[in-house]
Amino acid sequence: MPQEMTLGEALVEGLAEAMEQDQRVMLIGGGLVSSGPARARFASVRQRHGRRIKSPPIAELGYCGIAAGAAMAGLRPLVDVGTATFSYEAIPQINNEAAVAYSNSGGQTNVPVTYFMRYGIRGGGGVQHSGSPQPWYWNTPGLQVAMPATPADAKGLLRNALLKSRDPTIFFAHERLLGERGPVPDGEYETEFGKASVAREGNDVTIVAVGVQVPRALAAADALARDGIAAEVVDPKTLEPLDTETLLASVGKTGRLVVTDESHDNCGVAAGLAALMADLAFDSLKAPIKRVAIPHVPVPFAVPLEDYVTPTAERIEEAARSLLR
Amino acid sequence: MPQEMTLGEALVEGLAEAMEQDQRVMLIGGGLVSSGPARARFASVRQRHGRRIKSPPIAELGYCGIAAGAAMAGLRPLVDVGTATFSYEAIPQINNEAAVAYSNSGGQTNVPVTYFMRYGIRGGGGVQHSGSPQPWYWNTPGLQVAMPATPADAKGLLRNALLKSRDPTIFFAHERLLGERGPVPDGEYETEFGKASVAREGNDVTIVAVGVQVPRALAAADALARDGIAAEVVDPKTLEPLDTETLLASVGKTGRLVVTDESHDNCGVAAGLAALMADLAFDSLKAPIKRVAIPHVPVPFAVPLEDYVTPTAERIEEAARSLLR
Amino acid sequence: MLPDMSRDQRLDLLRKMLMIRRAEEHVVRFNEEHEGLIRGHFHIYIGQEATGVGVCAALAPEDYLFSTHRNHGHVIAKGGDPGKVLAEIIGRETGYCLGRGGTFHVAAPDLNIPHTSAIVGGSTALASGAALAAQLLETSAVTVVFFGDGAMDEGVFYESLNMAKLWELPLIFLMENNYRRAGRVNSGHSADDLANIPRALNVETTAVDGGDVGQVYGTLLDLARRTRAGQGPFFVEARTHPWPGNDGDHPELVAGLTDINWAWDPGPVPEKVRPWYAEGDGILAYARELADGEGCDRDTIVRLDEEVRREADAAAQFALTSPLPAPEAALHYAYAGRSD
Amino acid sequence: MLPDMSRDQRLDLLRKMLMIRRAEEHVVRFNEEHEGLIRGHFHIYIGQEATGVGVCAALAPEDYLFSTHRNHGHVIAKGGDPGKVLAEIIGRETGYCLGRGGTFHVAAPDLNIPHTSAIVGGSTALASGAALAAQLLETSAVTVVFFGDGAMDEGVFYESLNMAKLWELPLIFLMENNYRRAGRVNSGHSADDLANIPRALNVETTAVDGGDVGQVYGTLLDLARRTRAGQGPFFVEARTHPWPGNDGDHPELVAGLTDINWAWDPGPVPEKVRPWYAEGDGILAYARELADGEGCDRDTIVRLDEEVRREADAAAQFALTSPLPAPEAALHYAYAGRSD
Ligand SMILES: Cc1ncc(C[n+]2csc(CCOP(=O)(O)OP(=O)(O)O)c2C)c(N)n1
Ligand SMILES: Cc1ncc(C[n+]2csc(CCOP(=O)(O)OP(=O)(O)O)c2C)c(N)n1
Ligand SMILES: [Mg+2]
Ligand SMILES: [Mg+2]
């Protein structure tokens, strides 16, 4: 029967299993989580597989490139970049090397590397520790983008990236989800890329939510339900590949759409999803497509400022209501 | 009376004037253009202002950061990064330092730096010389994004960035526009940021086109006109700030919208603009919003492949027709 | 070694060092004693005060300073108001950056600290740029960039060092070697001696005891002069004994509040950290030195510390009682060119 | 210095060097003689053949090679089919990468050249990764990464060098110093001797005459052996006289097609480039050496060149007559995990 654990623990569990099952799986960087029981679990992984775990110098560009090169030569590396903003240093190697090698080689060179990063407004991170670059990675062909919202998906998607995938994957975990608990199935399993889940059913409005926005959307749906508004919450789980069908089916049913991601609004993930639906689902739309994202200002530090720019459940709820007035 | 010159010449002209007018204007990097008469013109600028022109080593991250720091300390640097993909190296300094200093300092530190780069599918560039990162920069608050389509705007926007602006600007010129000729007004003038132009009027369909897509949209409009379809072509000139009013007015009039930019489609500029309109202009929309962008594959090299992924006038025309069937 | 200056100036260095220590002690207590006041993690400067104070004492107001995630002490050393520093660290409207920057990004443009990067190595490029501006605008400003040993892992440091040398920028690279990367012990570099890297790039290097404020001051005074004379850039390694409170993810006052009397009577210092307070603490060492020097005794110093503690307490009160910014202010300051 | 090997092997080195020269001569002519065949710019390897061939002669098939924007010669040296190289350079379906990579990105995974980066310095990190894979998978593969002097400006080189040394990777950094950055003369570095940088990071360095195929081969044979023995990484600087045809934005055959007879009779060589063909051209020098060596004379060499020219002409024909990829193929190969 499924165990309760935090998303952080589920990730370490997935890593531990993957390193056990496949000698090609290796880790560059920290242990995915910075504290809590998962930290201890990771220590045992380090004990067991230390040879395949490298603690790099503070040189993201170099070691993310090294991971890509290692993947080209037969390994299946996982890189823990830490805070997502640190991955900016490595964009030349991630977006301009790892992402392009397969296409550029005419389908000969596979790059099964996974870049793990903690994104978003964590609380007191200040502008340089509150980044959400998922739109940049989703914009880049050749990269897969995974954004789990639950411990179960976190583990299943990570196992998929580390053990099955033949393409580079950017793996996002929201800082504020790492400590959230949820049931995780027993035994070995992978969560499919490109298969969305309907986290909650409803007929009045569709809320497409990614990563940390999923629990926020569910909270908004609860609040809406109290007023008899039935919101459907769709969790794509991965942006690339994207399960367009499930999104279209939901919008086809509700005719109303809110899209939400904790990234900046211009060309953000919410905008990217909204644009797809404004084309493909136009005929079923009864109202404007609303986006709930981070407004166009660098994330400020002070508590009230930081909270003000966070795409909260309240803002999702308000956006949904605005479509039903 | 206005002179005919290429976009490249107009840029060098704007730089020459700016360096003449303001001692704080300086250049790091090449001369904006790689060949042609503008090259000779630039040689004379180097002659005259050599002390304020630095030829850096091949270290984009370092010198883009140096330009940002110099701007914080009283200069108004222009950086010629060259091919836009080379700017990936500098994203940590551009997006995570230059872009945030003003907000982070509570409005005390200005960073009037301009990063010039040549974007897009140039013809035979291969994947690493065909990048279009404008969505990443537009996604980043604190950065202004200029994408001129004509020699006149190129000069006017560059003068504005170098002489007037108090914020960092990413200045895009499409490789294939640099040699295009057009009239350039005499004398000193700046082109306003955030003021779109209606490049062609029409009542049937709006085509919002950016940078190199403007001439392509105009060509598409000509073709459509032959079949009695009146397309309106709107050129935002700058994405940040964006002239939303002019876009809304046009869509309000036509009720049909095609958005096009030569960047990749997921979270691309076309998607970003489409998402805004799917919210704000929904009530006036009579048809789906169509995007004409680069499909989600790394830009391949061979001529037919490269042409196939290019968002041509034909593809814009086809998208517009699909809305009127 | 006592700095070559007047008694009052010497005491003023001690005052600044103590002010940093007392302010940082408050920061740690903010975190320990006020649930939710500090949401994220933070870095403090305890154990490195002698370096920051020694360097800044050799600088002029117009000189530029760039710092890191470990900036609190640098800003105070350059003349920052402890109240405005503490207020920024906890995100108050009265902070140096109106609470928008926070602990990672305390900057003070009016002190010529335009922007503080918490990206390891990030400031080395920005500082080189400020130095380039001083060079082209022909001001006499010197730029000092503080960074840690870990920053020498990053390519941006290498690129900046190269350009600083190629362009002969009026810049001093001030590497604070605390033999740690944040809380972690990790040599992380293949160079036996980190100074071999600037040496390879023809940049003159100097090593100082970062715990000896007099030595730091003397060295910087000379290098600042030479830098103004166009002989820069220079690279300085200031070596400090890592303060045990910095081991691990969150700083802790492993020995409680520093008692200035430990300078003479280390007895009460907890066993396990006694070695550091005996050899590593530049404040206690300097206090001892001063008391032995002429025209100054232990009492003067103890009284000075009491005075500083009162000021630091007031600064902490000021920060704690300062208003938070109004939520809507979040949307301001994205662009200078917009009406905020 | 003649390489320590059999006569046939020695001739085979010359054959490979000539093949690169002749193939590159075709590339330049593709651009000059076929309007629109090459849309963008490109970089050729003329003048550096001795380095690529000497290095690859010391490598085994399983060894990894990473290259740069100047890759054509490296791929041929590692055993690449000139026809498939030329076809890739002009974007034909028969090219090594089905025409998707093009001149900047000629790669040949079946020759253990998995991906070629045209980003200056970009390959140094990828190559370090391949070396890490060989280390962890316990294969005997050595990785060689070619890069130019300009790549040492980039932080990624510095970061990769540091990690390669920290992790003792089986990797050889092969810096080809042509004293140019693409077409431009520009020292660009503050180090008097670029090798001082690896030295500062404790990486053993060697300098070779990049125009002397025998010296390059001998040096690499020894270093490859030591690298397999776990003594890596190593840094090699191969110095070449910059070929005048590379000055400026587009390569030009400033002296027309190389005539192998110039090895003995430089008379016909155009005045202004005669010095380069006299001292700089590793092919002519090696031809002279070989002719003096036993069991081989000028005739043998002239005949070998004729043979190579015929093969190169055929390769060029193959490329020119090969089909272009079908336009719709553009959308394939974004992901391995999708049915293309
Ligand atoms: C680019 C980047 N990578 C990683 C981090 C996370 N980080 C913060 S401080 C630190 C250690 C820095 O060590 P050092 O430069 O020696 O400074 P110290 O903390 O020792 O004063 C790291 C890795 C960061 N802030 N930026
Ligand atoms: C990151 C990056 N910046 C700039 C360029 C443009 N560029 C292509 S080749 C080159 C010069 C490289 O010099 P070097 O490494 O010495 O190689 P060489 O051309 O001399 O063989 C430059 C600057 C690039 N390709 N990548
Ligand atoms: Mg340190
Ligand atoms: Mg070179």
Side-chain angles (χ1 to χ4, degrees), chain D residues 48 70 148-151 176-182:
Chain D
Q48 300 174 213
R70 204 175 293 286
D149 44 317
E176 294 188 80
N177 196 346
N178 59 6
Y179 304 90
R180 293 280 186 285
R181 282 157 166 68

Side-chain angles (χ1 to χ4, degrees), chain B residues 62 97 108-109 143 166-167 240, chain C residues 96 114-115 117 159 335-337:
Chain B
E97 308 290 354
Q108 296 173 81
T109 297
L143 299 178
R166 291 184 288 151
D167 297 301
E240 192 60 50
Chain C
Y96 265 109
H115 167 70
S117 175
E159 295 182 2
Y335 295 89

